[in-house]
């Protein structure tokens, strides 16, 4: 690991607040009394599910909320965190099931909290968000219709964000480089096959994607529509079958300037993770996305490699983060449980065979074509 990596890992050290400390933050910063608090899974920040005590003097405000404590590196960019919060509220006003932000006693969106770590004083940005109902789609068998709806949701989200772009120009971040720079040999498994695939995908990405970026349509990406960041609730149809609806969209921390095709590729990759028929997933998600934003031929031609690239990125970074934070292994390695197998299957089948499945499935959704 290079010295630069060492500095980055130190800067990104995950917050380690106790439940007592987190409860004290909710009280002192937001003026709310905690009746129950428990940690939630998270990547490099720290989240708590908080239940609020109600008294005759505190009848307003949330009953349940999420206390989000950003890592020290993210906490250095409060303007960016505020933009993320404003965009969540913008999307909620536009009809999307995103969280509301609970303001501090001083009527701010965020607050900087400092704590003595023993050797130094560390500062963390904290926010209080409303708790969204539902459960992650990772916990249910996902149907083709729900995959279609999630693809459609991803496109509608990006299209709606077009209207917020002027308000936050220059604050969200530059166009992503698909998080390049993590060397596959040092962080991922020593198995030669995995390393060979990752190295080939990285080279193909440089040759076949980086050279075509000017042909992709730009947008603001959510950037992390994975199967744990989309919540659903079920209801009964007239026939008595379970009907699922999206009830929550979580985690806007990876939002950035990017491209429409990046969003659909990220969504396809994450929807493949828990699927028993992962190769078929892409066509249903693509059909939903293209019902709102049809891709151009150049964008479609890059989709296979972009999905492979996101697999490699997620798997390598997860292994690296697991090395840094072994206590968080269960959460960090969710993708790896099936991800390596899905990536290898895609790579072995090849682009032409996978695209044929995706594009034929997507075509079946066109008017006049029965599924």
């Amino acid at each position: 690991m290079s010295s630069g990596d060492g500095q980055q890992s130190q800067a990104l050290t995950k917050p380690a607040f106790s439940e007592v400390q987190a409860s004290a933050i909710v009280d002192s910063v937001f003026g709310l009394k905690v009746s129950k608090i428990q940690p939630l899974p998270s990547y490099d920040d720290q989240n708590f599910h908080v239940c609020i005590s109600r008294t005759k003097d505190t009848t307003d405000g949330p009953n349940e909320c999420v206390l989000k404590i950003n890592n020290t590196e993210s906490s250095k960019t409060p303007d960016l965190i505020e933009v993320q919060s404003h965009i969540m509220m913008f999307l909620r006003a536009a009809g999307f099931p995103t969280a509301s932000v609970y303001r501090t006693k001083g009527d701010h969106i965020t607050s900087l909290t400092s704590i003595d770590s023993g050797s130094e004083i560390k500062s963390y940005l904290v926010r209080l968000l409303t708790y969204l109902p539902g459960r992650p789609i990772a916990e249910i068998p996902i149907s083709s219709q729900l995959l279609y709806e999630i693809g459609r949701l991803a496109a509608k989200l990006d299209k709606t964000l077009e209207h917020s772009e002027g308000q936050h120009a220059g604050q969200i971040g530059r166009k992503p480089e698909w998080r390049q720079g993590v060397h596959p040999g040092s962080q991922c498994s020593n198995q030669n096959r995995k390393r060979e695939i990752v190295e080939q995908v990285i080279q193909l990405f440089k040759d076949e994607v980086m050279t075509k970026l000017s042909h992709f349509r730009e947008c603001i990406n959510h950037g992390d529509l994975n199967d744990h960041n989309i919540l659903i609730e079920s209801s009964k149809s007239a026939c008595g079958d379970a009907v699922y609806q999206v009830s929550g969209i979580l985690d806007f921390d990876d939002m950035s300037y990017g491209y429409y095709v990046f969003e659909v590729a990220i969504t396809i990759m994450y929807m493949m993770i828990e699927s028993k028929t992962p190769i078929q997933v892409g066509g249903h998600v693509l059909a939903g996305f293209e019902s709102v934003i049809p891709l151009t031929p150049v964008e479609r031609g890059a989709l296979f490699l972009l999905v492979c690239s996101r697999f490699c990125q997620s798997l390598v970074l997860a292994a690296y983060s697991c090395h840094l934070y072994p206590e968080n292994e269960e959460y960090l390695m969710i993708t790896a449980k099936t991800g390596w197998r899905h990536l290898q299957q895609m790579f072995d089948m090849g682009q032409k065979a996978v695209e044929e499945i995706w594009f034929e499935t997507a075509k079946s959704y066109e008017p006049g074509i029965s599924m």
Side-chain angles (χ1 to χ4, degrees):
M1 183 165 61
S2 71
S3 58
D5 290 333
Q7 291 168 1
Q8 183 183 37
S9 64
Q10 184 178 10
L12 287 172
T13 298
K14 189 175 179 177
F17 285 74
S18 67
E19 293 176 14
V20 172
Q21 289 173 316
S23 296
I25 291 173
V26 176
D27 187 356
S28 63
V29 176
F30 300 96
L32 298 171
K33 299 294 183 183
V34 175
S35 62
K36 183 180 179 182
I37 188 168
Q38 59 185 25
L40 291 170
S42 58
Y43 192 71
D44 52 14
D45 298 323
Q46 192 176 18
N47 300 326
F48 290 92
H49 179 195
V50 182
C51 295
I52 303 300
S53 295
R54 284 280 164 251
T55 68
K56 62 180 181 180
D57 298 323
T58 57
T59 56
D60 296 330
N63 293 316
E64 293 181 90
C65 48
V66 174
L67 176 67
K68 190 170 185 66
I69 307 172
N70 284 90
N71 63 68
T72 52
E73 186 67 15
S74 296
S75 297
K76 295 175 183 177
T77 56
D79 289 348
L80 180 57
I81 302 301
E82 290 217 3
V83 168
Q84 294 170 3
S85 299
H86 280 295
I87 284 183
M88 284 192 293
M89 292 186 286
F90 170 82
L91 289 170
R92 187 173 182 85
F96 290 88
T98 56
S100 296
V101 181
Y102 195 82
R103 290 183 173 270
T104 69
K105 289 192 293 185
D107 199 31
H108 300 294
I109 290 176
T110 63
S111 178
L112 196 61
T113 297
S114 298
I115 188 170
D116 190 344
S117 64
S119 58
E120 61 178 322
I121 302 294
K122 293 185 176 181
S123 297
Y124 303 91
L125 272 178
V126 298
R127 285 176 292 169
L128 198 64
L129 310 177
T130 52
Y131 184 81
L132 296 174
R135 54 178 178 155
I137 59 171
E139 296 180 1
I140 68 160
I142 190 165
S143 67
S144 58
Q145 185 59 35
L146 189 52
L147 289 169
Y148 176 90
E149 293 300 332
I150 289 167
R152 185 172 173 82
L153 174 69
K156 289 172 67 178
L157 196 67
D158 283 8
K159 196 169 185 64
T160 302
L161 285 174
E162 288 179 7
H163 303 294
S164 73
E165 186 169 353
Q167 303 172 36
H168 307 296
Q171 292 178 292
I172 293 175
R174 62 189 177 86
K175 298 169 198 172
E177 295 180 1
W178 211 261
R179 292 181 184 170
Q180 295 181 79
V182 180
H183 191 275
S186 57
Q187 284 88 32
C188 68
S189 169
N190 288 327
Q191 297 179 34
N192 290 334
R193 176 62 172 155
K194 293 178 181 178
R195 176 169 177 161
E196 288 172 3
I197 291 175
V198 172
E199 289 182 337
Q200 286 183 58
V201 170
I202 289 173
Q203 189 58 52
L204 286 168
F205 184 89
K206 292 177 180 177
D207 295 341
E208 303 295 331
V209 175
M210 296 298 290
T211 57
K212 294 185 176 69
L213 291 180
S214 62
H215 298 285
F216 299 160
R217 288 167 297 164
E218 299 176 7
C219 67
I220 297 175
N221 291 149
H222 175 281
D224 199 15
L225 287 175
N226 66 53
D227 49 352
H228 289 265
N229 282 344
I230 301 174
L231 304 179
I232 56 160
E233 284 188 313
S234 63
S235 59
K236 293 290 184 181
S237 68
C239 302
D241 298 326
V243 177
Y244 294 102
Q245 292 183 322
V246 174
S247 60
I249 305 170
L250 307 178
D251 195 355
F252 286 77
D253 290 356
D254 285 337
M255 195 170 52
S256 63
Y257 283 115
Y259 307 91
Y260 286 118
V261 69
F262 278 17
E263 193 79 275
V264 67
I266 291 167
T267 307
I268 288 173
M269 175 266 175
Y270 282 121
M271 293 306 104
M272 289 175 66
I273 295 298
E274 302 291 341
S275 176
K276 293 181 179 178
T277 55
I279 300 299
Q280 280 67 40
V281 162
H284 302 292
V285 175
L286 177 62
F289 194 93
E290 290 197 310
S291 71
V292 179
I293 304 172
L295 296 184
T296 67
V298 175
E299 290 167 338
R300 268 194 165 208
L303 192 58
F304 170 83
L305 185 53
L306 287 171
V307 174
C308 290
S309 298
R310 183 62 173 203
F311 264 119
C312 291
Q313 177 190 72
S314 182
L315 291 165
V316 171
L317 287 174
Y320 176 59
S321 297
C322 190
H323 172 72
L324 296 177
Y325 312 114
E327 72 281 358
N328 205 24
E329 179 176 2
E330 182 177 358
Y331 178 76
L332 293 171
M333 298 304 285
I334 289 173
T335 301
K337 291 178 181 178
T338 57
W340 285 113
R341 185 169 68 249
H342 295 343
L343 172 62
Q344 184 166 333
Q345 182 183 7
M346 285 185 65
F347 213 70
D348 288 345
M349 288 179 65
Q351 179 170 347
K352 184 177 180 180
V354 173
E355 283 183 344
E356 184 175 350
I357 294 171
W358 287 354
F359 297 163
E360 284 301 312
T361 300
K363 187 177 180 180
S364 70
Y365 281 86
E366 295 176 5
I369 301 177
S370 60
M371 291 182 60

